[in-house]
């Protein structure tokens, strides 16, 4: 009996000594009731968490995301939905093994649950305790399964499972909504009521989403993080059908981290009116020709979508599934140190950027969601791919995190970009780019080229203009798709960049920004879309009287 008791005490001692001590008591952190509960329970888990005949954890992480969100939807000038939600989501990660080989299997290790909203110490600690217990049991099962799976595989490039990082302490202010909700809800109603001017429109909708997210993070390595971010999103859109039944859509959006940059009433209504007018013009616009191959100029808004899709997704250092020999999961997995863009272009990612051109950027942060300080990284240097954005999950040739592990409240961290910046050694003005496009058309004996103002899903043109080579006249067309807009086209057909770099914010999948100028491709394939044509409504919409 004494022998068994001595053995149990020794196992407990091993469990305690395997985990690095949490950072010395932080007086400021102790004043925060959420951090205090997290740190107290973390200390307790370090000293108590151990199953018989099972390895003790070598790493424990607690994250709580506190959300305050207001959202509303409107259609045809009427409110369709309005919500105010406050919640806390906790995520507990327990890793068994060591940094070289641990219990992580693919994506999504850890346990996520809802945490109490009140700052009750015992309630918060109880939620953390239960989640920790379950996460530990899950980790031990995963570790056993992983070891069995590894015996069946031949690993060409052995990598550590988790990157070591220095402990980070950052105690910044939490977030709170700083914009009044009622005026923007009313603006949504007023903007969508403009459908009355356009009897041919089939839908006019609007949405707004104001969000304050406060983040709390503590780890057994000593990381203590508290900070917050805001996002304010307002978007409206509409749809119609051409006489041949083709469905057409357009939208406008404002997305910022600064409430002061939300549009004024008059400015937003003007943008809405212009957008609805353009839908009417698209409805009667001619169809794109069945086949075109020639120069295409992407204005900054469209270029941002091209860069985020074809560059942003392919510079992510996301580790392939266990046993897969590839470096990453993107198309540039095998392109390390190879040319992926023209030599006149360089691409960097900088989490420290908070504004550009006087406008707030959504992608900036100081510490990522794995407790690693965000680092500026040159990804493409004069056309050559020189690095990837990495999280704490190492990939081949990149054993360390560069602070780009990002996550949503209910998700696990993965490599993601913050603010991508595309710069060129030589640039042209917007007028010079258009003249260059016309010059190429004349050299190739083409009647016209294309200018893309905006893109939709899957990089499909929404606002697309023919530019006639004989006089530079621009003509709106509809129903086009790109045949070969891909990474090969980026490398081989991208000819010039503008001096009109513009910032574009996005919240998908995480808060991100892209700073990019106009981009001119020497040759792209543009085809007529092979879309099915829906029947027009059998009878007209309700009459719109001027009195209403």
């Amino acid at each position: 009996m004494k022998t068994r008791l001595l053995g149990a005490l020794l196992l407990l001692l091993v469990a305690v000594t395997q985990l690095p001590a949490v950072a010395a008591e932080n007086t400021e952190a102790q004043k925060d009731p959420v951090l205090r509960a997290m740190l107290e329970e973390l200390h307790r888990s370090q000293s108590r968490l151990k199953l018989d005949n099972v390895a003790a954890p070598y790493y424990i992480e607690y994250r709580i995301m506190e959300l305050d969100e207001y959202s509303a939807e409107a259609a045809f000038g009427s409110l369709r939905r309005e919500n105010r939600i406050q919640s806390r989501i906790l995520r507990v990660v327990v890793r068994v093994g060591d940094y070289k080989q641990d219990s992580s299997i693919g994506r999504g290790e850890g346990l996520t649950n809802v945490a109490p909203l009140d700052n009750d110490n015992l309630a918060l600690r109880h939620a953390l305790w239960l989640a920790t217990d379950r996460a530990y049991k899950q980790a031990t099962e995963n570790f056993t399964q992983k070891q069995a799976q590894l015996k069946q595989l031949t690993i060409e490039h052995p990598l550590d499972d988790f990157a070591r990082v220095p402990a980070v302490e950052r105690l910044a202010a939490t977030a709170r909504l700083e914009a009044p909700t009622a005026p923007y809800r009313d603006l949504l109603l007023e903007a969508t009521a403009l459908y009355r001017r356009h009897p041919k429109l089939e839908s006019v909708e609007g949405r707004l989403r104001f969000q304050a997210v406060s983040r709390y993070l503590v780890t057994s390595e000593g990381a203590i993080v508290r900070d917050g971010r805001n996002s304010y999103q307002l978007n409206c859109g509409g749809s119609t059908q051409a006489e041949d039944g083709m469905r057409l859509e357009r939208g406008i959006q404002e997305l910022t981290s600064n409430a002061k940059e939300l549009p004024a009433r008059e400015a937003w209504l003007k943008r809405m009116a212009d957008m609805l007018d353009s839908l009417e013009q698209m409805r009667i616009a001619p169809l794109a020709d069945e086949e075109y191959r020639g120069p295409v100029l992407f204005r900054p808004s469209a270029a941002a979508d091209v860069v985020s899709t074809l560059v942003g997704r392919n510079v992510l250092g996301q580790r392939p599934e266990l046993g897969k020999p590839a470096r990453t999961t993107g198309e540039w997995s095998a392109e390390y140190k190879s040319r992926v863009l023209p030599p006149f272009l360089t691409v960097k990612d900088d989490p420290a950027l908070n504004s550009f051109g006087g406008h707030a950027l959504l992608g900036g942060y100081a510490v990522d969601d794995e407790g690693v300080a965000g680092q500026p990284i040159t990804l493409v240097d004069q056309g050559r791919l020189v690095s990837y954005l990495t999280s704490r999950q190492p990939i081949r040739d990149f054993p360390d995190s560069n602070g780009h592990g990002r996550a949503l409240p209910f998700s696990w961290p993965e490599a993601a970009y913050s603010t991508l910046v595309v710069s060129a050694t030589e640039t042209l003005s917007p007028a010079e780019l258009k003249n260059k496009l016309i010059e190429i058309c004349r050299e190739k004996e083409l009647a016209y080229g294309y200018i893309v103002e905006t893109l939709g899903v899957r990089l499909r043109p929404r606002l697309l203009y023919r530019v006639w080579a004989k006089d530079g006249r621009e003509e709106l067309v509809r129903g086009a798709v790109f045949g070969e807009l891909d990474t090969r086209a980026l490398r081989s057909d991208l000819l010039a960049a503008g001096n009109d770099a513009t910032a574009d914010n996005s919240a998908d999948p995480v808060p991100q920004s892209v700073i990019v100028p106009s981009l001119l491709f020497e040759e792209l394939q543009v085809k007529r879309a092979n879309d099915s044509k829906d029947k027009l409504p059998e009878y007209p919409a309700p009459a719109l009287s001027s009195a209403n």
Side-chain angles (χ1 to χ4, degrees):
M1 181 71 177
K2 290 182 179 179
T3 303
R4 286 199 299 270
L5 180 59
L6 179 60
L9 289 172
L10 286 172
L11 284 174
L12 180 57
L13 179 61
V14 169
V16 175
T17 55
Q18 276 188 345
L19 284 168
V22 175
E25 295 299 331
N26 186 304
T27 305
E28 186 65 26
Q30 292 295 325
K31 294 177 183 177
D32 186 303
V34 179
L35 283 177
R36 180 179 179 182
M38 295 170 75
L39 288 169
E40 288 176 351
E41 195 56 31
L42 181 61
H43 277 296
R44 201 171 73 94
S45 295
Q46 287 182 268
S47 63
R48 300 287 296 275
L49 194 59
K50 177 68 176 73
L51 290 173
D52 291 339
N53 303 318
V54 177
Y58 79 95
Y59 175 83
I60 301 175
E61 171 187 308
Y62 292 162
R63 184 186 78 192
I64 289 179
M65 302 283 267
E66 184 175 282
L67 282 75
D68 183 6
E69 179 179 290
Y70 172 80
S71 61
E73 292 182 6
F76 302 109
S78 296
L79 192 65
R80 190 162 61 186
R81 183 181 64 83
E82 184 177 24
N83 286 325
R84 183 69 177 262
I85 299 174
Q86 293 178 300
S87 62
R88 279 180 179 162
I89 297 102
L90 69 84
R91 180 175 180 271
V92 172
V93 174
V94 175
R95 289 175 177 263
V96 172
D98 54 32
Y99 288 92
K100 188 174 184 63
Q101 186 181 116
D102 67 16
S103 52
S104 60
I105 297 181
R107 307 166 70 197
E109 72 276 1
L111 187 141
T112 303
N113 209 338
V114 177
L117 271 175
D118 295 329
N119 292 333
D120 182 282
N121 182 273
L122 186 58
L124 286 168
R125 290 184 60 183
H126 191 280
L128 289 165
W129 160 72
L130 191 58
T132 305
D133 180 76
R134 292 174 178 173
Y136 177 44
K137 291 171 181 175
Q138 178 191 77
T140 59
E141 293 177 5
N142 288 350
F143 195 39
T144 302
Q145 294 173 13
K146 183 174 180 177
Q147 289 177 315
Q149 187 178 1
L150 285 170
K151 292 178 181 178
Q152 309 298 319
L153 299 172
T154 300
I155 306 298
E156 293 184 22
H157 307 283
L159 297 168
D160 287 357
D161 281 340
F162 203 46
R164 296 177 184 269
V165 298
V168 172
E169 289 192 17
R170 170 179 164 80
L171 294 177
T174 54
R176 61 184 181 86
L177 292 181
E178 297 173 340
T181 57
Y184 292 98
R185 177 201 60 205
D186 295 343
L187 179 57
L188 206 64
L189 298 175
E190 194 172 358
T192 58
L194 293 179
Y195 83 94
R196 290 181 170 87
R197 302 179 185 177
H198 302 277
K200 296 287 187 178
L201 295 182
E202 294 186 357
S203 71
V204 178
E205 301 176 344
R207 295 176 178 83
L208 64 84
R209 185 184 187 191
F210 295 171
Q211 191 177 70
V213 180
S214 298
R215 178 180 61 166
Y216 305 85
L217 176 71
V218 300
T219 73
S220 57
E221 295 170 326
I224 303 176
V225 178
R226 181 193 65 200
D227 56 18
R229 61 173 175 80
N230 292 339
S231 64
Y232 302 93
Q233 184 173 12
L234 178 64
N235 62 277
C236 290
S239 67
T240 187
Q241 281 182 272
E243 291 301 320
D244 59 7
M246 177 176 286
R247 292 198 173 276
L248 304 166
E249 298 179 346
R250 271 223 66 201
I252 55 173
Q253 174 177 273
E254 191 69 42
L255 177 56
T256 180
S257 60
N258 187 348
K260 295 179 180 179
E261 293 185 13
L262 283 168
R265 172 184 173 276
E266 296 77 10
W268 186 255
L269 293 178
K270 174 67 166 55
R271 286 181 62 184
M272 185 69 175
D274 291 345
M275 184 271 289
L276 296 179
D277 287 341
S278 72
L279 261 179
E280 288 283 11
Q281 295 164 14
M282 289 171 64
R283 194 178 62 80
I284 60 175
L287 281 166
D289 288 339
E290 291 187 358
E291 186 73 26
Y292 167 88
R293 188 178 293 275
V296 178
L297 174 59
F298 293 80
R299 295 299 191 196
S301 177
D305 289 333
V306 172
V307 168
S308 62
T309 301
L310 300 182
V311 176
R313 294 179 183 176
N314 291 314
V315 294
L316 306 182
Q318 294 178 344
R319 191 165 172 171
E321 294 178 5
L322 195 64
K324 297 289 181 67
R327 180 180 286 105
T328 73
T329 58
E331 291 183 43
W332 287 350
S333 174
E335 302 300 323
Y336 179 45
K337 297 184 179 180
S338 299
R339 190 171 72 81
V340 294
L341 292 175
F344 62 85
L345 287 182
T346 291
V347 181
K348 299 181 180 181
D349 184 276
D350 191 353
L353 282 178
N354 292 312
S355 65
F356 179 82
H359 297 286
L361 297 174
L362 209 63
Y365 58 87
V367 179
D368 75 1
D369 291 309
E370 293 182 305
V372 184
Q375 303 170 31
I377 300 294
T378 297
L379 298 162
V380 181
D381 187 15
Q382 297 181 356
R384 194 170 299 276
L385 181 66
V386 296
S387 190
Y388 296 88
L389 301 174
T390 57
S391 66
R392 294 189 65 176
Q393 191 174 39
I395 62 171
R396 179 158 38 107
D397 299 313
F398 296 88
D400 301 314
S401 170
N402 53 35
H404 286 81
R406 313 282 307 283
L408 293 174
F410 278 104
S411 69
W412 53 89
E414 291 187 292
Y417 67 84
S418 58
T419 299
L420 284 181
V421 183
V422 179
S423 59
T425 54
E426 298 179 6
T427 60
L428 300 175
S429 69
E432 289 171 330
L433 284 172
K434 181 177 177 179
N435 289 337
K436 185 69 175 176
L437 179 141
I438 292 172
E439 178 186 324
I440 296 171
C441 288
R442 291 172 178 171
E443 289 175 356
K444 295 178 178 291
E445 298 183 347
L446 297 171
Y448 61 86
Y450 276 122
I451 292 180
V452 189
E453 290 287 349
T454 62
L455 293 169
V457 294
R458 295 186 297 277
L459 298 181
R460 291 190 59 162
R462 282 192 171 173
L463 276 186
L464 178 68
Y465 293 89
R466 281 194 193 116
V467 182
W468 293 97
K470 61 181 178 180
D471 57 9
R473 178 174 55 90
E474 298 181 14
E475 178 188 28
L476 182 66
V477 297
R478 62 181 172 90
V481 294
F482 293 108
E484 299 168 349
L485 183 53
D486 51 22
T487 54
R488 185 207 63 81
L490 280 181
R491 182 180 66 250
S492 304
D493 298 314
L494 190 49
L495 180 66
N499 62 1
D500 53 354
T502 304
D504 185 84
N505 288 326
S506 169
D508 183 23
V510 293
Q512 297 173 320
S513 302
V514 174
I515 300 172
V516 61
S518 295
L519 298 175
L520 174 61
F521 288 77
E522 184 174 13
E523 184 174 276
L524 286 179
Q525 182 186 34
V526 183
K527 304 184 295 183
R528 182 179 296 176
N530 187 25
D531 292 338
S532 59
K533 304 295 193 300
D534 296 330
K535 288 185 177 181
L536 295 171
E538 296 295 337
Y539 62 102
L544 304 175
S545 66
S546 58
N548 294 329

